[in-house]
Amino acid sequence: MGSFDWWQEEGRSFVNGLELSEEGLRVFGYGPDDRVNLRDMLRMIAPTDREPLVRLARQILYQVSVIATDVPMTLPDGRFRIIHVEAEPEFDEHGHCCAYTGIVQDVTDRRIAEDRIRHLANYDALTNLPNRRQLIWRAERALEFGRRLGHQVALLLIDLDRFKVINDTLGHAAGDELLMEVAFRLRGCVRHCEQLFEGVIETAGSRSHRTLEAVGRLGGDEFVALLPEVADEADAQRVATRILEALREPVVVAGQDCFATASVGIALFPRDGNTVADLLRNSDVAMYAVKSQGRNDALVYTPRLAGRGREKLALESALHKAIERDELVLYYQPKIDVANGRMVGVEALMRWRRGDLLIQPADFIPVAEETGLIVPMSEWALRQAARQARIWADAFGFADSIAVNMPNRMFERTDLIDQISAAVREEGIPHSMIQLEITETGLMKDLQRVIPSLHRLTEIGVKIAVDDFGTGYSSLAYLTSLPIAEVKIDRSFVRDLGVLPQSLAVVTAIIALAKSLDLKVVAEGVENTRQQDVLYGEGCTLMQGFLFSKPLPPEDIQVWMEQVALPRKAPWMPSVQKARTGTETIVDVGRRS
């Protein structure tokens, strides 16, 4: 960063009166003895950018306003850089603007990181199709046009059949290869506009909403095709048929032919729902009906297919009883600092022990969120985590934090701080032993209502972590304005490290951004030493995943310490030292002193 003065010489314009500090000259690639005028600067700007900049400068001089802009430039040594310019006017004794004083800063690296994350926010890293967030944004705009212009909108939910068999048999790399090929074929079945981000749709013509049409990836092996205008359900069925035909040809995966059939559920606005959530739910009902009827087909939603909703009610009733019968349990997954091999905390993960079955959160948390049961379940989790921290502190000197996942609605409650304080006071532990995790999507859902709680929690010593970072990006601004201590890189990006260069680019950008803001960064879902070594090489030392430990019952954490950590037998331990020093020395993973 450097400074500059730009003044108006007597009887002349502002063209020649420019002086840069030594640091300012360095920003533009010049030496301390070089002399530069405004014309030299303008020559570094591409002609297509130069004219708009000159117009902006004239407007600023006419209005005598503050300068704040980013200027793309090609420096004398041929490097392309983005230079941020800020300046304020100065006035003479007659009140006339006579000069500008300001700063220049090279913001190229920051802008590249922001652009990478912005793309990540809207497009899936594996398939480069629109992701869930971008799809929902497009669908909401399509429904607005449908209401205004009086036409139907179709939503097609596409789920691959028996994808898990390919994943389990040929491995995740083969599964990813299949998903990329399927995405390529699906993309050919609908029109697609790349340049739609949050903002304004191109308004040229009365049918501009058709640019919203797209196929995107919801996650896993689920895709969605959005048709922003259809005449009737036959139009949607024709697209579904085209999709099924596109998947008939075999896909070569891991050196052998695979056949990727799909089940397609179709829902139409306004007949089958007035909101995106309604259409997704009803297309999901239709898709599961296809699955139950033999797969590899398409079906339009009808009310008679909604019998599946009764199963959901039964699950809700059982979940109510689970809280009453104390059937919920917390499992704990260690977080590791691979730089020194130490456990630096754990994440609490909820499970439901229903009879002899241990039900995973993905099967009941969505129901709990929808019904409001997530509130008493979260309150229980806070008390249980505080109790467990006390037990471990007495048993083996545990002094780190237990991270508890919190829905955004908990941060809106006025009694959250009182509940945490009561829980830690009852167990006699400091507030710092409880960490709260909120997903990025949940954080941004109602940011202004969450902000006050985040600040109050930080004041009492409770650290805040943003989970699934990168999957729900809305704005970088909140990272600098909110009291966030930690970001967690989503496992979907970690999974492809060392395989897909796109994943490495995304992870590198997130790590650089977090470090520049002095935030801790934790990588989730680390399953092998390849991922560990790539992350470590990029400067991320805090990790969590099956490579180190699966989620364990509370009593097994001490066993893990005694049988894995203290004996130094874990396969990931020597790889850290080898990645750092080129030796096979095993690092110390003993418990903290």
Side-chain angles (χ1 to χ4, degrees):
M1 180 188 294
S3 62
F4 72 90
D5 291 298
W6 181 31
W7 65 90
Q8 184 174 16
E9 294 182 341
E10 186 174 354
R12 306 188 66 181
S13 68
F14 277 84
V15 172
N16 295 312
L18 177 67
E19 182 175 347
L20 289 159
S21 67
E22 184 174 329
E23 293 81 4
L25 287 166
R26 193 178 300 119
V27 167
F28 292 101
Y30 288 103
D33 297 326
D34 291 327
R35 291 292 174 265
V36 186
N37 60 36
L38 187 59
R39 287 192 177 89
D40 296 325
M41 295 294 178
L42 291 174
R43 292 190 189 101
M44 300 184 209
I45 303 171
T48 53
D49 296 322
R50 189 184 304 154
E51 186 176 341
L53 183 64
V54 170
R55 286 200 304 269
L56 175 63
R58 286 172 179 164
Q59 182 180 357
I60 289 171
L61 292 174
Y62 177 76
Q63 298 176 345
V64 192
S65 56
V66 172
I67 299 172
T69 187
D70 289 345
V71 184
M73 310 181 79
T74 301
L75 303 190
D77 59 6
R79 292 180 298 140
F80 176 79
R81 310 303 289 172
I82 299 174
I83 308 300
H84 179 71
V85 182
E86 283 190 22
E88 294 184 352
E90 293 188 354
F91 302 91
D92 59 21
E93 63 273 14
H94 303 294
H96 298 135
C97 177
C98 61
Y100 273 83
T101 301
I103 57 102
V104 289
Q105 181 181 10
D106 188 333
V107 295
T108 310
D109 294 339
R110 189 192 73 194
R111 284 284 298 272
I112 290 173
E114 289 176 357
D115 289 344
R116 285 176 179 171
I117 295 177
R118 186 172 293 108
H119 185 81
L120 160 69
N122 291 280
Y123 288 88
D124 176 58
L126 178 66
T127 63
N128 210 34
L129 292 176
N131 60 15
R132 174 185 289 271
R133 181 177 178 278
Q134 169 76 181
L135 276 170
I136 290 175
W137 179 83
R138 288 181 184 236
E140 287 174 343
R141 301 293 84 73
L143 296 192
E144 289 175 8
F145 277 98
R147 292 186 190 97
R148 191 186 314 156
L149 301 177
H151 60 249
Q152 298 185 77
V153 177
L155 200 72
L156 282 64
L157 184 63
I158 307 152
D159 189 88
L160 299 186
D161 299 327
R162 301 184 180 89
F163 175 72
K164 187 175 185 298
V165 175
I166 295 175
N167 246 359
D168 294 345
T169 305
L170 302 179
H172 289 287
D176 290 346
E177 190 178 344
L178 176 65
L179 290 174
M180 288 188 285
E181 175 60 25
V182 167
F184 176 77
R185 296 187 187 186
L186 293 179
R187 191 181 182 124
C189 296
V190 298
R191 292 184 295 272
H192 185 79
C193 178
E194 294 281 6
Q195 303 304 321
L196 284 181
F197 293 103
E198 290 196 7
V200 187
I201 302 174
E202 294 294 334
T203 55
S206 61
R207 296 301 179 189
S208 60
H209 59 278
R210 291 181 176 178
T211 60
L212 292 163
E213 183 169 300
V215 61
R217 185 185 179 202
L218 276 187
D221 62 340
E222 277 193 334
F223 299 84
V224 166
L226 171 65
L227 309 179
E229 182 179 357
V230 293
D232 50 33
E233 67 179 50
D235 274 356
Q237 286 177 321
R238 276 191 287 272
V239 175
T241 300
R242 193 155 63 235
I243 287 170
L244 295 175
E245 289 177 351
L247 298 177
R248 290 189 192 282
E249 292 297 319
V251 179
V252 179
V253 174
Q256 67 181 71
D257 286 348
C258 293
F259 290 87
T261 62
S263 299
V264 182
I266 304 170
L268 290 115
F269 164 86
R271 188 189 70 186
D272 302 327
N274 287 306
T275 67
V276 177
D278 290 340
L279 295 177
L280 281 172
R281 182 177 62 251
N282 290 334
S283 61
D284 185 66
V285 169
M287 183 270 293
Y288 272 103
V290 175
K291 295 275 189 189
S292 64
Q293 294 173 14
R295 301 180 173 88
N296 193 26
D297 202 355
L299 194 63
V300 178
Y301 171 82
T302 60
R304 67 180 179 79
L305 298 176
R308 185 167 170 264
R310 289 190 288 272
E311 298 177 12
K312 187 175 179 182
L313 288 175
L315 181 64
E316 178 185 339
S317 176
L319 195 53
H320 271 285
K321 296 175 182 177
I323 298 174
E324 299 169 2
R325 297 171 180 173
D326 200 24
E327 294 176 349
L328 298 177
V329 294
L330 289 183
Y331 275 43
Y332 300 88
Q333 189 172 39
K335 290 194 285 189
I336 306 297
D337 185 346
V338 298
N340 53 36
R342 297 181 185 275
M343 184 177 79
V344 293
V346 297
E347 179 182 0
L349 300 164
M350 195 175 294
R351 302 288 188 265
W352 178 10
R353 198 178 296 282
R354 191 178 183 187
D356 295 331
L357 298 176
L358 190 66
I359 302 177
Q360 300 298 307
D363 296 326
F364 66 89
I365 290 296
V367 175
E369 287 269 15
E370 187 174 335
T371 59
L373 288 172
I374 194 66
V375 172
M377 290 166 63
S378 300
E379 294 171 350
W380 170 85
L382 281 172
R383 296 191 300 270
Q384 190 67 21
R387 185 175 302 117
Q388 195 59 56
R390 174 77 271 164
I391 293 171
W392 285 338
D394 294 339
F396 57 90
F398 179 80
D400 295 301
S401 61
I402 296 180
V404 183
N405 293 279
M406 286 285 114
N408 65 304
R409 70 174 70 183
M410 285 296 292
F411 290 92
E412 298 169 10
R413 293 174 63 92
T414 57
D415 61 347
L416 176 60
I417 293 175
D418 293 337
Q419 288 191 40
I420 295 175
S421 296
V424 300
R425 185 169 56 249
E426 183 178 339
E427 301 300 333
I429 62 172
H431 286 82
S432 59
M433 292 186 77
I434 297 295
Q435 182 184 54
L436 300 184
E437 290 189 6
I438 182 172
T439 64
E440 187 176 7
T441 304
L443 177 66
M444 299 309 300
K445 187 176 294 183
D446 201 348
L447 182 60
Q448 295 307 313
R449 295 181 64 181
V450 169
I451 286 176
S453 289
L454 297 183
H455 282 288
R456 290 196 297 270
L457 287 164
T458 302
E459 288 170 3
I460 65 173
V462 177
K463 296 291 193 297
I464 306 298
V466 179
D467 199 8
D468 300 342
F469 183 73
T471 60
Y473 166 90
S474 291
S475 171
L476 291 175
Y478 76 84
L479 287 179
T480 59
S481 61
L482 294 182
I484 295 168
E486 181 180 294
V487 295
K488 302 186 76 174
I489 303 174
D490 187 68
R491 65 185 67 245
S492 62
F493 309 127
V494 173
R495 181 189 60 205
D496 299 320
L497 287 178
V499 178
L500 292 177
Q502 300 97 316
S503 293
L504 177 58
V506 167
V507 169
T508 301
I510 293 174
I511 293 171
L513 183 64
K515 287 194 170 186
S516 69
L517 297 173
D518 197 26
L519 302 175
K520 288 184 179 179
V521 57
V522 179
E524 293 186 294
V526 180
E527 297 182 354
N528 54 58
T529 52
R530 182 198 73 230
Q531 296 164 345
Q532 177 195 1
D533 291 342
V534 172
L535 287 163
Y536 189 87
E538 295 299 322
C540 177
T541 63
L542 302 182
M543 304 181 198
Q544 178 183 345
F546 278 24
L547 175 63
F548 314 106
S549 172
K550 64 180 181 180
L552 299 171
E555 60 273 12
D556 288 355
I557 288 291
Q558 185 171 356
V559 175
W560 178 84
M561 292 285 293
E562 294 171 351
Q563 295 183 358
V564 177
L566 294 178
R568 304 176 179 141
K569 293 180 179 179
W572 49 269
M573 294 177 184
S575 67
V576 176
Q577 187 72 2
K578 182 178 180 181
R580 184 166 66 250
T581 66
T583 70
E584 295 289 349
T585 305
I586 300 177
V587 298
D588 177 20
V589 293
R591 67 188 179 205
R592 305 183 78 179
S593 57

